[in-house]
Amino acid sequence: SSGINAECPLRPGENAGRVRARHNYADGSSGDWYAGCDDHFNGPAAGAICRSMGFRHGKQVTADKKMKPISGLPFGITNIFCYHDDTLIMSPSCNADKYGQLGWPICTPEEQIAVQCFNEMWKVDVGFSMVERSGKMFCPVKVLKKEKSTDCDSALIPLL
């Protein structure tokens, strides 16, 4: 089937990384890998990219010095944004323009899209116990354990 293959090489334990993509064609061939420029990129688009890779949620992150740009990767798309947070990147409620087509400013390698993917918005075990202080009862909350998400792999995103 045809579609876009997106990958996200993640930093261990953080589920965060730069995104690369390529077109897969109906004849089984694939195009070259390319990056997306982060101009107009938004949170719903980050979530859509993460959902297309098997996660439930995602957010746009600012790449720090540890998250280096993917070397030698040309830009293929820009102005990637979605209007809704519960969609896939190929949905009609998302936009992506071919890089350079509309005469947008040139993007630098540091502007490659970066996302953090996760499955649970909040997943914590909470303990409650009643405590008396100065003749009044209080119920302090203690966070006992945080859970981490699974690793990111590649996925085939169908073209609409």
Side-chain angles (χ1 to χ4, degrees):
S1 72
S2 60
I4 296 176
N5 187 30
E7 289 185 350
C8 172
L10 297 176
R11 293 193 308 195
E14 295 182 31
N15 292 341
R18 304 262 187 184
V19 178
R20 70 181 190 162
R22 68 178 172 185
H23 284 85
N24 291 318
Y25 303 103
D27 67 2
S29 65
S30 296
D32 293 331
W33 289 107
Y34 59 84
C37 180
D38 67 2
D39 291 353
H40 302 109
F41 189 65
N42 65 3
I49 287 171
C50 289
R51 275 186 291 285
S52 66
M53 291 189 291
F55 288 90
R56 293 183 65 206
H57 308 284
K59 66 180 184 175
Q60 177 183 10
V61 295
T62 302
D64 59 23
K65 292 178 184 175
K66 295 178 191 173
M67 194 184 299
K68 304 231 182 271
I70 301 171
S71 179
L73 191 62
F75 286 101
I77 52 177
T78 189
N79 300 322
I80 305 159
F81 60 88
C82 297
Y83 293 105
H84 307 288
D85 196 33
D86 60 349
T87 187
L88 293 175
I89 199 67
M90 299 308 295
S91 162
S93 71
C94 294
N95 178 78
D97 296 323
K98 186 174 179 181
Y99 182 73
Q101 179 178 353
L102 300 174
W104 293 99
I106 295 175
C107 295
T108 64
E110 290 74 24
E111 292 178 276
Q112 290 176 357
I113 290 172
V115 298
Q116 182 175 22
C117 302
F118 47 96
N119 288 319
E120 301 291 333
M121 291 294 264
W122 294 94
K123 187 172 183 181
V124 294
D125 290 336
V126 180
F128 295 94
S129 60
M130 298 301 289
V131 181
E132 183 178 351
R133 291 187 185 149
S134 304
K136 296 182 180 178
M137 297 300 289
F138 292 90
C139 185
V141 177
K142 295 180 184 178
V143 176
L144 304 175
K145 178 175 93 173
K146 291 183 180 180
E147 296 290 330
K148 292 186 179 179
S149 304
T150 60
D151 287 338
C152 173
D153 12 10
S154 62
L156 182 66
I157 308 164
L159 290 173
L160 297 177

